[in-house]
Amino acid sequence: MSAIPQSGDKKPAPAASGSEEFALYESRKQIYPQSVSGRFRNIKWILLAVGMAVYYFLPFARWSRGPDLPSQAVLVDLTNGRFYFFGIEIWPQEVYYFTGLLILAAFTLFLMNAVAGRIWCGYLCPQTVWTDLFLLIERWTQGDRRDRLKKAKQPWTLETIAEAILKHSLWLMIAWWTGGAWVLYFADAPTLVKQLATFQAPTTAYVWIIILTSTTYLLAGFAREQVCLYMCPWPRIQAALTDEYALNVTYRVDRGEPRGSVKKAKVLREAGKPAGDCVDCNQCVAVCPTGVDIRNGLDMGCIQCGLCIDACDNVMRKINRPTGLIGYDTDINVQRRAEGLPALKARIVRPRTIIYVVLILAVASAMGFKLATRGSLGVDVMHDRNPIFINLSDGSVRNVYTVRILNPKGYEREFNLSLAGLPQARLSVMDEPVGGPAGVPIVAPPNQTLELRVTVTAPPDAHLPQSTPIQMVLTDAKTGETVKKNDYFKAP
Amino acid sequence: MVDHTHQDIDAATGTATTGHEWDGIKELNTPLPKWWLYVLYATMVWAVGYWFLYPAIPLPGGATPGILGWSSRGAVTIDLKELQAQRAPMVAQLNKDSLQQIAADPKLAQFARAYGHSAFGVNCAPCHGSNGQGSKGYPNLTADRWLWGGTLDEISATITHGARYGDPDGHQGDMPAWGASGILNKQQIDDVANYVYSLSHKTTADVSAGKKVFMDNCTPCHGENAKGNIQMGAPNLTTKIWLYGGDKADLIQTITNGRGGHMPAWGSKLDPATIKALTVYVHSLGGGQ
């Protein structure tokens, strides 16, 4: 067995020597996907247009939140630690919503996988979408597959150089816009656009634009299917999650074989002999963006984009044979056809998909419920650790706490901070003379976190144990909304 | 090194060999990818640039300085200057305002507390603890008793001039060594310790002998009611807070050998703004009066 790349031959060498011999690494072959039109191509174009429109223009959408607050609909405000998404405002301590979103995204991906394999890869993955766009430009500037294949073999001419320059400039423009749109999510978009144009934007913005411009240019322009084959973990993971009921782009061997020209098939059919519909035109291979021959069966490189279906259907229509020689089909049907059994209808509703849908609904409703019922008030209590308690001259014991009150509302609010669980102790806020059993009035400024040093003092004759559970109770003076936080009172 | 005369094509792989051969095993010529090599060369060029621009080659008496004149010490100095420039307006305000004005201005007080906290960590924490909690012999600054007074001005005076540290304006006053100097005998010390202990603890024992010793010897500093005197740094003996411990053994030790810890005079070491910030911070720890 040799580790040295020898040829572009993907298949194992004939097992003449008795041992399997194959190259562990294959050097990349440039793929020149041909343009195709059809149902799945149209779906892809629509998704591409919608996805890109959302990505590029969403930062400019406005959302009025009142004075002193950003009016950008979607904004990641890192400086102030806020994330705004239309009517939702997320504070740093609520980042678990993002965890929830990630879990939802994972389950949705699993569901898509259970229904139709790597359909995410073929239609929605940014790598696919941007590669599609870059290929469109490549075709527009340098011609379709045939022209590009021809030009690749020819020496450079003024014309081909001009075409290449045009292509790369357009690629770079899109890549630059991609990076540019990215940074707009992190600052007020119209302002940042002006700053960027006048070279007054923060250095970070330029750095991120450069990073995303270069990655977009390299990944969509050059790496392309290499990303799907070698960089992306999803093909490996999805292989473990898929099952025999998942729809996959499949070549119908029973209908297609034996392959032959239209004429030959006609002669065979007239003679009553079996003849396949596949005319070996190789259109399915020519249009494939990852260079797969789907007729060899399910392939690791197949991203389920369905372009070969479009290509094959177009050919079938031309030669007056039924379409669907290549189509979305399940593994179980492939098996049944091989055994001569009739194909089953696609079953989308089955235990696996039901479980995913239930999980998605459960997580989404839990998040929705939490979001809808989340308090308009946050309280954090931290016990001072050093010293953990203080002996006072009259023998009383004092504990000091840092209490953080978070007022996410855009107006000033009045609260009452009181103590529960230790009736003999007295709560007061440092630097404020008032305090006592009724609690301390607190004024929380709008949209801010207020930090207070709060002392709890137990009288000399309290005889407290080393640790007593207590509660800090914060009550909104107007609405009566109450938040309680557990902590401990420590004594010698 | 490569013996090009023996280069040939390996039959099994069809790849050229380098001419190296060991016991009949030949090395295939599979060079590194060109892009990889160019990246390596680029890093070499980059490194040469670094030699000239930055301190690089160690020589006796120091490394080559580099034409940019950069040094880590210089970079820290610049950072510190930037920090000082950032703080300048607030520090100027600290210098200008009185301690009471600083404490009354929430924004300035907040700055003073933060500034004071960091200065405390550098200068005061070794003795008083990271949050002023103190330890035996080192006053707890979070409690409500002060040897030399706990108002803003008194705290400021103590920080500036220290105690028993040679500063003529600093606090003076020692606890004499009553036993070591032979003024009191063991029995008297035991009696007076019992009496002092009874001042802060409920006891039914007869402490009249100790009270007499106390009245004869201790009242000039600690007062007849043992409430102490902050002018002399004489502690109030009727409270539950003891700098050197309030057990009878501790009391006997204190009375026999005396006490007199030192607080450095920071006025000669720290600038006035820092001392003001420290004062506000210490006052805010919870014991300020």
Side-chain angles (χ1 to χ4, degrees):
Chain A
M1 206 159 75
S2 161
I4 289 99
Q6 298 153 26
S7 67
D9 194 3
K10 223 178 184 177
K11 287 174 198 158
S17 59
S19 69
E20 271 186 273
E21 199 165 335
F22 56 91
L24 288 177
Y25 177 78
E26 187 186 19
S27 53
R28 190 199 178 200
K29 279 182 291 177
Q30 181 68 40
I31 295 167
Y32 299 90
Q34 196 181 328
S35 66
V36 64
S37 57
R39 200 162 105 209
F40 297 106
R41 181 65 266 182
N42 289 341
I43 296 174
K44 271 169 71 81
W45 284 137
I46 291 165
L47 288 172
L48 183 147
V50 172
M52 295 225 162
V54 169
Y55 175 71
Y56 288 126
F57 298 111
L58 191 57
F60 295 97
R62 302 286 101 184
W63 189 269
S64 172
R65 292 191 183 87
D68 303 329
L69 284 175
S71 54
Q72 186 154 322
V74 180
L75 179 68
V76 184
D77 187 353
L78 292 177
T79 329
N80 299 311
R82 302 275 191 285
F83 171 68
Y84 300 97
F85 186 82
F86 296 94
I88 301 169
E89 184 183 335
I90 305 280
W91 287 51
Q93 63 272 27
E94 295 173 313
V95 282
Y96 50 76
Y97 285 115
F98 288 95
T99 316
L101 278 182
L102 289 176
I103 293 169
L104 274 183
F107 283 139
T108 311
L109 195 57
F110 296 167
L111 178 64
M112 286 165 87
N113 184 58
V115 171
R118 282 172 74 182
I119 198 164
W120 158 264
C121 302
Y123 293 83
L124 293 164
C125 174
Q127 174 63 21
T128 292
V129 171
W130 261 270
T131 302
D132 249 6
L133 187 65
F134 274 42
L135 277 171
L136 180 71
I137 286 160
E138 197 165 68
R139 271 179 214 125
W140 186 65
T141 52
Q142 296 181 319
D144 207 350
R145 176 179 161 88
R146 236 175 264 263
D147 298 319
R148 293 210 305 281
L149 275 167
K150 205 170 78 190
K151 281 170 191 166
K153 282 179 196 147
Q154 282 172 352
W156 290 99
T157 66
L158 269 179
E159 200 195 339
T160 52
I161 290 172
E163 282 172 3
I165 290 173
L166 179 62
K167 175 181 86 173
H168 287 283
S169 326
L170 287 170
W171 277 4
L172 279 168
M173 265 175 62
I174 293 171
W176 165 78
W177 198 15
T178 308
W182 173 260
V183 299
L184 296 183
Y185 285 91
F186 297 86
D188 183 59
T191 318
L192 187 60
V193 168
K194 265 180 231 152
Q195 288 175 335
L196 284 169
T198 53
F199 297 102
Q200 282 168 343
T203 319
T204 2
Y206 293 107
V207 170
W208 276 104
I209 290 177
I210 290 168
I211 291 172
L212 272 120
T213 303
S214 48
T215 50
T216 309
Y217 179 63
L218 290 174
L219 293 180
F222 300 92
R224 291 187 184 168
E225 83 286 350
Q226 303 284 98
V227 176
C228 314
L229 294 176
Y230 301 115
M231 298 185 203
C232 177
W234 180 235
R236 277 85 181 167
I237 299 168
Q238 79 91 31
L241 286 167
T242 193
D243 62 12
E244 65 271 33
Y245 294 102
L247 288 164
N248 282 309
V249 174
T250 309
Y251 167 67
R252 281 189 55 182
V253 184
D254 60 316
R255 240 193 79 188
E257 304 294 325
R259 300 172 201 173
S261 68
V262 184
K263 268 185 199 161
K264 211 174 122 191
K266 206 175 165 192
V267 174
L268 281 172
R269 276 194 202 98
E270 277 165 4
K273 285 180 187 161
D277 281 339
C278 177
V279 292
D280 222 357
C281 64
N282 263 322
Q283 281 301 295
C284 54
V285 182
V287 300
C288 181
T290 59
V292 164
D293 186 345
I294 194 66
R295 294 168 302 173
N296 294 337
L298 200 55
D299 192 293
M300 219 276 311
C302 176
I303 57 168
Q304 306 289 342
C305 66
L307 293 185
C308 54
I309 303 178
D310 282 344
C312 189
D313 283 353
N314 291 345
V315 172
M316 288 298 123
R317 273 184 218 107
K318 266 184 213 148
I319 62 168
N320 285 321
R321 299 294 299 166
T323 56
L325 178 57
I326 302 175
Y328 282 98
D329 205 352
T330 60
D331 261 15
I332 200 154
N333 279 349
V334 172
Q335 221 176 330
R336 288 175 69 89
R337 285 203 179 100
E339 291 163 9
L341 297 166
L344 302 171
K345 266 196 158 181
R347 263 178 66 206
I348 289 171
V349 183
R350 48 184 212 272
R352 184 187 280 261
T353 52
I354 293 170
I355 289 171
Y356 288 146
V357 170
V358 167
L359 284 172
I360 289 169
L361 290 177
V363 176
S365 46
M367 276 174 65
F369 178 76
K370 184 86 176 74
L371 202 60
T373 59
R374 68 174 172 170
S376 56
L377 175 62
V379 184
D380 267 325
V381 177
M382 275 172 297
H383 194 293
D384 265 20
R385 284 165 193 276
N386 206 1
I388 205 151
F389 60 82
I390 300 162
N391 287 311
L392 297 183
S393 54
D394 64 352
S396 54
V397 179
R398 185 164 73 195
N399 280 208
V400 182
Y401 305 82
T402 303
V403 176
R404 275 206 200 101
I405 297 169
L406 183 156
N407 175 18
K409 297 281 181 192
Y411 48 87
E412 187 179 275
R413 290 160 81 191
E414 278 176 39
F415 295 104
N416 183 60
L417 181 67
S418 62
L419 181 74
L422 203 57
Q424 60 270 61
R426 184 188 136 100
L427 176 141
S428 57
V429 176
M430 228 173 251
D431 303 327
E432 302 264 343
V434 282
V440 184
I442 306 285
V443 177
N447 209 33
Q448 266 180 45
T449 310
L450 180 68
E451 195 171 296
L452 303 169
R453 296 235 326 141
V454 173
T455 63
V456 174
T457 310
D461 48 4
H463 303 297
L464 291 170
Q466 278 199 336
S467 188
T468 313
I470 58 159
Q471 278 188 322
M472 296 267 179
V473 185
L474 192 73
T475 312
D476 187 311
K478 274 205 190 101
T479 63
E481 183 182 352
T482 299
V483 177
K484 290 178 183 171
K485 285 280 159 178
N486 295 322
D487 212 298
Y488 291 90
F489 184 87
K490 302 283 184 184
Chain B
M1 281 207 290
V2 176
D3 182 3
H4 291 284
T5 54
H6 286 96
Q7 276 182 293
D8 50 16
I9 304 293
D10 176 57
T13 59
T15 310
T17 66
T18 59
H20 291 159
E21 189 178 333
W22 295 270
D23 295 340
I25 298 168
K26 291 174 181 176
E27 183 186 26
L28 295 182
N29 185 15
T30 48
L32 288 166
K34 279 214 177 87
W35 67 264
W36 196 97
L37 276 177
Y38 290 141
V39 171
L40 177 68
Y41 298 148
T43 60
M44 289 175 180
V45 174
W46 184 266
V48 172
Y50 252 75
W51 290 348
F52 291 106
L53 293 173
Y54 288 96
I57 302 158
L59 297 170
T64 51
I67 52 176
L68 289 184
W70 185 92
S71 71
S72 51
R73 189 174 286 266
V76 171
T77 314
I78 292 167
D79 284 353
L80 281 177
K81 271 193 188 138
E82 275 176 21
L83 183 68
Q84 275 162 2
Q86 265 178 28
R87 284 174 170 177
M90 293 300 252
V91 171
Q93 197 65 30
L94 282 185
N95 272 321
K96 205 175 111 212
D97 286 4
S98 75
L99 286 166
Q100 284 71 18
Q101 283 169 319
I102 296 167
D105 177 347
K107 215 177 150 194
L108 194 56
Q110 195 192 10
F111 173 77
R113 283 197 294 268
Y115 192 20
H117 184 50
S118 64
F120 191 89
V122 176
N123 300 293
C124 318
C127 292
H128 290 287
S130 54
N131 289 316
Q133 71 273 25
S135 63
K136 196 171 179 180
Y138 300 99
N140 181 343
L141 306 175
T142 66
D144 61 343
R145 215 198 59 184
W146 297 86
L147 276 179
W148 309 101
T151 65
L152 281 167
D153 289 323
E154 285 165 338
I155 294 171
S156 171
T158 305
I159 296 172
T160 311
H161 303 295
R164 311 180 194 97
Y165 202 71
D167 186 318
D169 296 327
H171 300 306
Q172 309 298 334
D174 290 295
M175 169 78 181
W178 297 95
S181 60
I183 300 170
L184 297 179
N185 64 31
K186 275 206 159 169
Q187 183 58 47
Q188 287 172 308
I189 290 172
D190 195 59
D191 288 344
V192 79
N194 277 334
Y195 172 67
V196 171
Y197 188 79
S198 76
L199 294 174
S200 53
H201 294 82
K202 280 175 192 155
T203 171
T204 51
D206 178 21
V207 292
S208 55
K211 184 169 184 181
K212 186 171 182 304
V213 179
F214 187 87
M215 289 303 169
D216 292 347
N217 301 283
C218 312
T219 48
C221 294
H222 291 286
E224 288 194 7
N225 52 10
K227 296 265 185 206
N229 180 351
I230 63 165
Q231 255 66 49
M232 313 175 83
N236 182 341
L237 304 177
T238 64
T239 76
K240 305 265 186 186
I241 294 177
W242 294 90
L243 181 53
Y244 294 98
D247 292 348
K248 219 185 124 191
D250 288 325
L251 291 174
I252 289 174
Q253 169 79 6
T254 303
I255 298 161
T256 309
N257 298 315
R259 298 288 187 185
H262 303 292
M263 161 83 178
W266 293 96
S268 57
K269 297 185 175 104
L270 301 175
D271 61 277
T274 308
I275 288 183
K276 280 186 179 171
L278 275 171
T279 304
V280 172
Y281 169 70
V282 169
H283 190 264
S284 79
L285 285 174
Q289 289 161 352

